[in-house]
Amino acid sequence: MSDSNFKNILSPFTFPVSKIKLNSRTVMAPMTTYSGNEDGTVSEDEITYYKKRNRSADLLISACAYVTKEGKGFHGQIGADTDAMIPSLKRIADALKENGGKAVLQIHHGGRMSSPVELKNGQTISASSIAATREGAQIPREMTEKEITQTIKAFGDAARRAIEAGFDGVEIHGANTYLLQQFFSPHSNRRTDKWGGNLEKRMTFPLEVIDAVKQAVKENAKNSFLIGYRISPEEIEHPGITIEDTFELVEAISKKKLDYLHVSTMDFWAGSVRDKNDTIPRTQLIFEKLNGSIPIIAVGGINTPKDAEKILKTGIPLIALGRELLIEPNWLEKVKNKTHESIEISLDVNNQLGLLIPDPMWKSLLSRTGWIALKK
């Protein structure tokens, strides 16, 4: 492959709303580190991990931060739930931005997918009292109207804290079966009030979260500040989110005038998780449906520059690398320097120290069979 084939990766991109400019089409996907301190502050090992990767892409998205204590998803998660977290968040923003990249804080609520042992009262909450379809899943408590409105406000407050901490943007985490997706899903949302029922009502909560974040940015950001939203295209459950449902949601999101839509998939080129006969990539369908009304970030199984170029040639403007940047923190530098032949695509199990991956994250990587390619 000739070096000229990297022209798409290395071409600049300007977000349509914030006007923030990137020097390439590369994004560091948000990756769970499990390495925060008990009080929700960032650990030294996480800061080291981020500094190791702050040249790996031009847009750098942090691990998700919970917006309320009731939304803490897992052990070692960072928090953005109180103003006391701002100094911790600033350390993350500074670490990500020190080499010129743009830093984004992903804001999150776990809902029924939170770990009960991480919650003060040991009880998860969600749109309805329906357990997730996984072994041992707790039945969540249905959220009250007051809790719903407080949580919407909490997303806006977290965005304000991101601004004060020096981030360049926030990504609203509406994917991977967490709370915003739970309100949109007919599996987890069986409500009959304004927050549930038909498809339009199930969109109410995520769209009001977007509005709260936009208002916080309008009131507090003195400089350009971007807002993105992450979705999962489908659910395997029946009833569950279908691609037709998602088309309705993304069209509604596009009308909110955000900077991007990040479509979360394990493999960009994989087809439907609901219908094995439907082999068209979900992100491609969403991209075609939206017809340029909002920029799309594609993710999933992108390892080499050739992989990235193949996706960018479909017209999708941005590609995110997650697992690959754990393996190869110098990915973008090697593309720029024309040393791409030395890009690693499997994790060296003997090189934790060289890769500066925190212990809890490292243990998780080695225990998740088939999730990341290993080189022994």
Side-chain angles (χ1 to χ4, degrees):
M1 179 175 58
S2 68
D3 297 330
S4 63
N5 287 340
F6 301 152
K7 64 181 180 180
N8 293 308
I9 297 172
L10 299 177
S11 63
F13 179 81
T14 301
F15 287 100
V17 180
S18 66
K19 304 303 180 184
I20 285 174
K21 184 177 179 179
L22 305 181
N23 294 322
S24 75
R25 302 305 180 99
T26 57
V27 178
M28 182 177 81
M31 299 293 286
T32 302
T33 69
Y34 305 103
S35 302
N37 295 320
E38 195 64 38
D39 63 356
T41 57
V42 67
S43 67
E44 293 299 328
D45 285 349
E46 280 181 290
I47 293 297
T48 302
Y49 160 85
Y50 284 129
K51 286 187 174 184
K52 178 72 172 176
R53 288 161 179 80
N54 63 18
R55 295 179 188 269
S56 65
D58 279 310
L59 189 73
L60 304 155
I61 308 175
S62 75
C64 62
Y66 54 83
V67 300
T68 70
K69 289 286 193 301
E70 296 77 18
K72 184 178 180 182
F74 42 83
H75 187 72
Q77 186 179 10
I78 56 169
D81 59 317
T82 69
D83 285 1
M85 293 292 109
I86 294 173
S88 167
L89 296 172
K90 185 177 188 305
R91 294 191 68 205
I92 299 171
D94 289 348
L96 291 173
K97 293 171 66 171
E98 70 176 3
N99 282 306
K102 302 299 183 182
V104 171
L105 179 70
Q106 190 185 65
I107 51 180
H108 160 271
H109 190 298
R112 72 179 186 181
M113 299 304 288
S114 291
S115 173
V117 299
E118 297 297 323
L119 305 179
K120 188 174 182 180
N121 63 3
Q123 176 62 60
T124 57
I125 56 176
S126 187
S128 300
S129 295
I130 306 293
T133 54
R134 56 175 177 154
E135 189 175 348
Q138 184 187 63
I139 298 174
R141 178 177 58 77
E142 181 173 297
M143 293 172 71
T144 65
E145 173 86 16
K146 182 178 180 181
E147 286 174 320
I148 291 170
T149 56
Q150 287 175 335
T151 303
I152 291 167
K153 181 179 182 297
F155 273 92
D157 290 342
R160 172 183 59 79
R161 294 179 190 119
I163 293 166
E164 294 181 18
F167 280 91
D168 299 294
V170 290
E171 178 174 281
I172 302 167
H173 198 343
N176 300 2
T177 75
Y178 295 124
L179 184 67
L180 274 72
Q181 183 175 328
Q182 290 163 33
F183 267 86
F184 182 53
S185 169
H187 181 273
S188 43
N189 188 347
R190 312 288 176 93
R191 303 178 75 101
T192 56
D193 58 6
K194 67 172 282 189
W195 305 103
N198 62 26
L199 178 64
E200 185 177 0
K201 288 184 176 181
R202 295 199 312 273
M203 291 194 289
T204 305
F205 180 75
L207 294 178
E208 289 204 10
V209 166
I210 291 173
D211 288 342
V213 170
K214 287 186 66 177
Q215 187 63 30
V217 172
K218 181 180 178 181
E219 292 175 0
N220 295 281
K222 296 179 177 62
N223 301 310
S224 297
F225 192 86
L226 64 82
I227 304 170
Y229 192 99
R230 198 174 208 212
I231 64 158
S232 292
E234 294 176 320
E235 289 179 331
I236 199 166
E237 291 86 1
H238 292 273
I241 296 168
T242 67
I243 193 65
E244 289 76 21
D245 294 337
T246 294
F247 287 158
E248 297 294 325
L249 177 62
V250 298
E251 286 203 338
I253 291 172
S254 73
K255 291 174 183 176
K256 295 292 184 182
K257 301 301 180 186
L258 305 187
D259 272 303
Y260 70 79
L261 183 73
H262 191 174
V263 184
S264 180
T265 57
M266 275 284 290
D267 177 357
F268 171 85
W269 295 104
S272 174
V273 298
R274 298 176 63 85
D275 179 1
K276 300 305 179 186
N277 294 317
D278 183 351
T279 59
I280 302 172
R282 304 295 90 178
T283 309
Q284 190 172 332
L285 286 174
I286 292 167
F287 171 68
E288 291 169 359
K289 180 71 175 181
L290 290 171
N291 194 31
S293 59
I294 182 172
I296 299 291
I297 298 177
V299 69
I302 305 169
N303 298 309
T304 67
K306 184 177 180 181
D307 296 336
E309 285 285 339
K310 184 178 179 183
I311 292 171
L312 292 170
K313 285 176 182 176
T314 69
I316 291 171
L318 296 160
I319 55 98
L321 301 106
R323 288 165 287 179
E324 176 57 24
L325 298 187
L326 301 179
I327 295 165
E328 180 55 88
N330 301 312
W331 195 93
L332 182 57
E333 291 295 293
K334 289 184 175 182
V335 173
K336 289 178 178 178
N337 297 335
K338 299 181 172 58
T339 56
H340 54 278
E341 298 296 341
S342 67
I343 286 176
E344 297 284 349
I345 59 171
S346 56
L347 184 71
D348 184 347
V349 299
N350 299 307
N351 193 32
Q352 180 188 1
L353 187 61
L355 294 170
L356 297 179
I357 294 175
D359 284 345
M361 189 181 199
W362 186 257
K363 291 173 184 175
S364 173
L365 293 177
L366 297 188
S367 66
R368 296 176 69 177
T369 304
W371 189 75
I372 193 167
L374 301 179
K375 180 171 68 175
K376 299 181 180 180

